[in-house]
Amino acid sequence: MQRRTFLQHSGLLAAAVSASGTAVLASSSAAKAKNKLPKWKGFNLLDFFSPNPAQGRKATEEEQFKWMRDWGFDFVRLPMAYPAYLKFDRSRNITPDEVYQIDEQAVDRIDRLVEMAHKHNIHVSLNLHRAPGYCVNAGFHEPYNLWTDQPALDAFCFHWNMWAKRYKNVSSKKISFDLLNEPSMREDMNDQLSKHGPVPGAVYRKVALAASEAIRKENPKHLIIADGNNTGSTVIPEITDLDIAQSCRGYNPGIISHFKAPWANKDPENMPTPKWPGQVGERYLSREMLETFYKPWIELVNKGVGVHCGECGAWNKTPHDVFLAWFGDVLDILTSNGIGFSLWEFIGDFGILDSRRADVAYEDWHGHKLDRKLLNLLQKY
């Protein structure tokens, strides 16, 4: 906004407040908080989550998209491991050259999933959960480091250019590109429980800018999203001028969302039992702590940057009543500020179907076990 326009708007606002009191100011603030992204709500689908297709999940079926739509959902995120759609010798570590060997049949399978979602008016967000040179998870040996090595960044841009070209003529209302799942710096890129920390802002900007240019080379209107820094938890101020939306997480605090999860805790069996609200270990857990956590994201919306919560939920060891009480506060804070969400996952341990919780009275649903209480909570928002 130009300075003159800003001053004009400021003068008008001051006059309106003077004339009509604080109600006008409150109304103006609410209007200012309009999220540039739709308030999508939906699920992560893990069809292409594993680097090895032989170890992948059962493919999502078309009737499952119909269930989602009938239940009121309009969004799916596809967290993909790039090796899942490559051709290379999987008996050894991948080489830099092999990162470019696209398996067209595998890409066609991704296309079919996207087409089924679109048939049921569901927006698809393609995400590189594992990108050349980085993944927040262990389980695959990368040939280089995305944050430090130019060949890794070149390959990252190659993959995004390929996807952008493939969906060149698809509206941003139907597809978006989520650059990289949960960026962080890691002490050991192949150690599952290594320490994480934020990526230096200038480094993150370099990577996001290069990838966005590779995408918008094919269509300048492509919608691009960047996951928050430090494994999705913090806003990235260094990219707010790049016309890139940002994605937060609904996992705070981890003692609730990842209770007893072995991949996220070094001593999972000795974690204190979570409560919401309540004293858990050395911390008092409450809605106020969530409001503090999400405040920077809400401020980002107010600054005109689109925000969505790309992942949220809790693993199946969290007591169900605690999970629902906490998750209700998470969803209320997000959605009351115009921020949509995507549950991790649809079917599986975090999902509304077949989550294998020991303390849920499941409902039979077309051969699946439906967590109706969780579904009702999601539908409420």
Side-chain angles (χ1 to χ4, degrees), residues 51-169:
N52 186 350
Q55 299 172 352
R57 301 289 189 94
K58 183 180 178 182
T60 302
E61 299 171 359
E62 183 170 347
E63 70 170 345
Q64 292 165 1
F65 286 109
K66 184 179 183 300
W67 301 343
M68 293 179 211
R69 189 64 197 175
D70 289 348
W71 284 332
F73 300 98
D74 58 1
F75 177 92
V76 292
R77 180 173 180 260
L78 301 186
M80 304 181 297
Y82 77 93
Y85 57 83
L86 296 180
K87 283 183 179 179
F88 65 99
D89 183 354
R90 298 179 186 274
S91 67
R92 53 166 174 76
N93 291 337
I94 196 170
T95 67
D97 288 344
E98 290 171 331
V99 169
Y100 292 88
Q101 295 178 183
I102 303 297
D103 181 348
E104 289 298 332
Q105 289 185 331
V107 173
D108 286 344
R109 288 194 290 273
I110 296 171
D111 278 347
R112 286 195 290 274
L113 188 66
V114 173
E115 289 170 4
M116 284 192 294
H118 288 168
K119 180 179 177 181
H120 294 277
N121 297 316
I122 293 175
H123 180 95
V124 178
S125 183
L126 295 181
N127 164 250
L128 283 184
H129 190 278
R130 176 173 294 279
Y134 177 78
C135 184
V136 73
N137 292 351
F140 187 86
H141 191 281
E142 292 297 330
Y144 35 38
N145 187 319
L146 177 60
W147 309 119
T148 59
D149 302 330
Q150 186 62 42
L153 180 55
D154 293 342
F156 184 58
C157 292
F158 166 82
H159 281 260
W160 275 123
N161 179 260
M162 179 199 74
W163 289 113
K165 190 178 296 182
R166 203 161 188 101
Y167 297 109
K168 183 172 185 172
N169 298 316

Side-chain angles (χ1 to χ4, degrees), residues 263-302:
W263 69 90
N265 304 283
K266 291 187 176 181
D267 190 13
E269 291 306 314
N270 290 315
M271 297 177 69
T273 301
K275 304 173 187 175
W276 190 265
Q279 188 75 30
V280 181
E282 298 179 354
R283 303 172 67 191
Y284 185 81
L285 309 184
S286 67
R287 182 182 172 107
E288 288 73 22
M289 68 178 291
L290 289 180
E291 290 171 343
T292 299
F293 177 78
Y294 288 111
K295 184 178 179 181
W297 294 97
I298 296 165
E299 291 174 348
L300 195 63
V301 171
N302 290 336

Side-chain angles (χ1 to χ4, degrees), residues 195-213:
K195 293 181 180 178
H196 296 260
V199 178
V203 175
Y204 198 145
R205 179 184 173 88
K206 177 184 176 182
V207 170
L209 179 60
S212 66
E213 289 175 344

